[in-house]
Amino acid sequence: MNVAGYLTLILFVIDKTKTVSLLTDDNAHNSTHQNLVGVDSQNVDVFRQLLNQETIIRMTLVKNVHALMKDMLSLKENFAVAEQKLSTLQASTAHEISVLKTEVQSLKLENNVLKNESREHKRDVTEMKANIVQISENHKEFEKEIDVNREVFQQNVSDKLADIKIEVRYLSITLLDLNAHTRQIESEIPDIIDQKILAMFESINSTLENFNATVMATDNKFATQFSDLKNSHSGVLSTLTDYLNTTVDSLKAELKDSKFEQLKLSSAVTSLEMFRMNLTNNLQTKVAFTAGVTSSSSTWNSGTLVFPVVINNIGGGYNPSTGVFTAPTEGHYVFFVTVVEYNKQDSRVEIVLNGSSKVGTMGHPSAGYQTGANMAVLRLQQGDTVWIKHYHGKGYYTETVPLTTFSGFLL
């Protein structure tokens, strides 16, 4: 029942209290001065009791009506307050509903954007997998090409080594002939010198005897010319002596040059033999390795990148526990590293020789699972060490068949 109904009920009750009592006259008052003529005393007592009861009931009813009116006023005030609160609640609810509708619309838009991004990411992942497969195929082709080039190189080296061996044998034979010729010259030089000296002295003696005979035959006849001939004889002796000395010096110089040429040929033969031995040792010493990782990491951010899964390790130079390669022999080495970055986390590494960085790689975070790769040709002495060091970013990605790998071999 609403407030208007309650007010109608109250007015109706008040109106009824003012009506004519069923036990009194038509006037609405509490008069006891009635005309009691003809009524006995017993009925008068009963009537008075009834009248008193009616008066009590009427007073109680009035009191209740007043209390009901107060309650109705309080109810009206509470109803007004409730209506105000209801209107306020309706306004705030309408505003919240409007805000919620706006947020729902925004969430729908974000959901559509996320769906589009998810499709793009799936497409990027598919392309990335295709690129990784292509890179793996290219890497396998590169390894095959390296093997073919290595075989060709070894064949060329073998051919050149055979040619060098032939040349060394030819030089050895030539050197032996030269040594024999030199020994022959050394043994013949004293005899030649002696023969030439004897021939010179015999010629001189013969000339002197002729001169002496001529002088003795013409002593009287050519006295003056004898003195001139004697002087001429002294000049001839001086000339012959100078000629002999010059000849001996020339022969000694030729002997010295011959010994020098012999030493040069011996040195050349020794150098060729050492070169042949080095080539033979290098061909006999084969060094090659490939290692990788089969579990990804999103937190690796310092130190040496260890590749624990060894695919090949000819020569035993690579240590899978430390990730460090130690050169078992000196020579030129080729190193190759591939690192796949982990889901848009920048990943950069470097190839390090004895603590000195040589080349680096970069997996850029502009897209997920970018591949960084690089190669270096380094000159190593026996005992030198090479490893892969962290430079920037964190983490790396791989699969059961390794995508992140480290390889090297001796040329």
Side-chain angles (χ1 to χ4, degrees):
M1 184 180 292
N2 56 16
V3 177
Y6 282 113
L7 291 176
T8 303
L9 179 62
I10 292 170
L11 293 175
F12 176 77
V13 172
I14 293 172
D15 182 65
K16 289 298 181 180
T17 55
K18 292 182 180 180
T19 58
V20 179
S21 174
L22 295 175
L23 299 177
T24 61
D25 55 10
D26 294 335
N27 295 323
H29 55 80
N30 194 18
S31 174
T32 59
H33 300 286
Q34 303 292 331
N35 187 8
L36 301 177
V37 179
V39 179
D40 53 10
S41 60
Q42 186 178 358
N43 291 331
V44 170
D45 293 334
V46 172
F47 183 76
R48 285 179 178 174
Q49 291 177 0
L50 292 172
L51 184 61
N52 291 332
Q53 289 178 359
E54 180 185 4
T55 301
I56 293 170
I57 292 169
R58 290 178 64 184
M59 291 177 64
T60 303
L61 183 60
V62 170
K63 186 184 297 184
N64 292 333
V65 167
H66 286 297
L68 183 61
M69 289 181 66
K70 289 181 181 180
D71 293 338
M72 292 303 297
L73 291 175
S74 176
L75 183 63
K76 186 176 181 179
E77 291 177 356
N78 293 333
F79 184 74
V81 172
E83 285 185 344
Q84 185 177 2
K85 288 182 178 180
L86 182 62
S87 62
T88 304
L89 181 61
Q90 287 177 348
S92 63
T93 303
H95 177 69
E96 290 178 356
I97 291 172
S98 176
V99 172
L100 288 174
K101 287 181 178 179
T102 303
E103 291 180 355
V104 168
Q105 190 67 24
S106 176
L107 289 174
K108 287 182 179 179
L109 293 174
E110 291 181 359
N111 189 22
N112 292 330
V113 172
L114 290 174
K115 286 181 179 179
N116 294 330
E117 290 181 353
S118 177
R119 294 191 191 98
E120 293 178 357
H121 288 164
K122 288 181 180 179
R123 188 164 51 253
D124 292 339
V125 168
T126 303
E127 293 177 357
M128 180 62 62
K129 288 182 178 180
N131 292 334
I132 290 171
V133 172
Q134 184 65 32
I135 290 171
S136 299
E137 293 177 354
N138 293 337
H139 182 65
K140 291 179 180 178
E141 292 178 359
F142 177 73
E143 288 182 346
K144 291 180 181 178
E145 195 172 321
I146 288 175
D147 292 336
V148 172
N149 292 334
R150 187 187 298 114
E151 292 177 357
V152 172
F153 176 76
Q154 290 177 353
Q155 184 64 35
N156 292 334
V157 170
S158 298
D159 295 339
K160 290 182 179 180
L161 184 60
D163 295 338
I164 290 171
K165 287 180 178 178
I166 294 171
E167 291 179 0
V168 168
R169 293 192 188 98
Y170 177 75
L171 288 173
S172 299
I173 294 170
T174 304
L175 183 60
L176 291 174
D177 294 339
L178 183 61
N179 288 331
H181 183 64
T182 302
R183 286 193 296 269
Q184 184 179 357
I185 291 173
E186 288 178 351
S187 62
E188 291 178 355
I189 282 175
D191 296 335
I192 294 171
I193 293 174
D194 293 337
Q195 290 175 3
K196 287 187 176 183
I197 291 173
L198 290 173
M200 290 291 179
F201 278 113
E202 288 177 357
S203 176
I204 292 169
N205 291 328
S206 177
T207 303
L208 288 175
E209 288 176 357
N210 291 330
F211 276 119
N212 289 327
T214 302
V215 169
M216 290 175 66
T218 59
D219 187 25
N220 295 323
K221 191 175 181 180
F222 303 103
T224 305
Q225 293 180 0
F226 179 76
S227 178
D228 295 335
L229 287 173
K230 191 175 181 179
N231 293 331
S232 176
H233 176 68
S234 298
V236 170
L237 285 175
S238 176
T239 301
L240 290 173
T241 303
D242 293 337
Y243 175 73
L244 288 173
N245 290 332
T246 303
T247 303
V248 171
D249 292 338
S250 176
L251 290 172
K252 288 182 177 180
E254 289 180 1
L255 180 61
K256 185 177 181 181
D257 292 338
S258 176
K259 289 183 177 180
F260 181 70
E261 290 296 329
Q262 182 183 0
L263 290 174
K264 287 204 301 183
L265 285 173
S266 298
S267 177
V269 171
T270 303
S271 299
L272 288 173
E273 187 64 24
M274 291 180 65
F275 178 70
R276 182 187 65 79
M277 292 175 64
N278 289 332
L279 283 178
T280 304
N281 291 332
N282 288 334
L283 289 176
Q284 292 176 352
T285 304
K286 294 183 179 180
V287 180
F289 75 95
T290 295
V293 292
T294 56
S295 59
S296 302
S297 173
S298 60
T299 58
W300 178 75
N301 59 2
S302 64
T304 302
L305 180 54
V306 179
F307 299 84
V309 179
V310 175
I311 299 172
N312 201 352
N313 193 13
I314 300 173
Y318 178 73
N319 187 339
S321 299
T322 61
V324 177
F325 171 79
T326 303
T329 183
E330 61 90 19
H332 287 88
Y333 288 79
V334 178
F335 295 97
F336 190 87
V337 62
T338 301
V339 177
V340 180
E341 59 90 10
Y342 190 90
N343 194 18
K344 295 185 178 182
Q345 294 184 168
D346 192 7
S347 180
R348 305 183 190 185
V349 299
E350 293 177 338
I351 297 178
V352 179
L353 169 60
N354 294 333
S356 176
S357 299
K358 297 302 179 182
V359 298
T361 69
M362 179 175 68
H364 200 273
S366 59
Y369 306 102
Q370 293 288 319
T371 300
N374 210 337
M375 183 177 67
V377 180
L378 303 175
R379 173 70 179 179
L380 272 63
Q381 300 296 324
Q382 185 177 4
D384 287 348
T385 54
V386 177
W387 66 90
I388 305 301
K389 182 185 75 171
H390 174 271
Y391 176 72
H392 183 72
K394 63 178 181 178
Y396 54 83
Y397 177 78
T398 188
E399 293 181 354
T400 305
V401 177
L403 302 177
T404 297
T405 60
F406 178 34
S407 301
F409 61 88
L410 173 66
L411 288 175

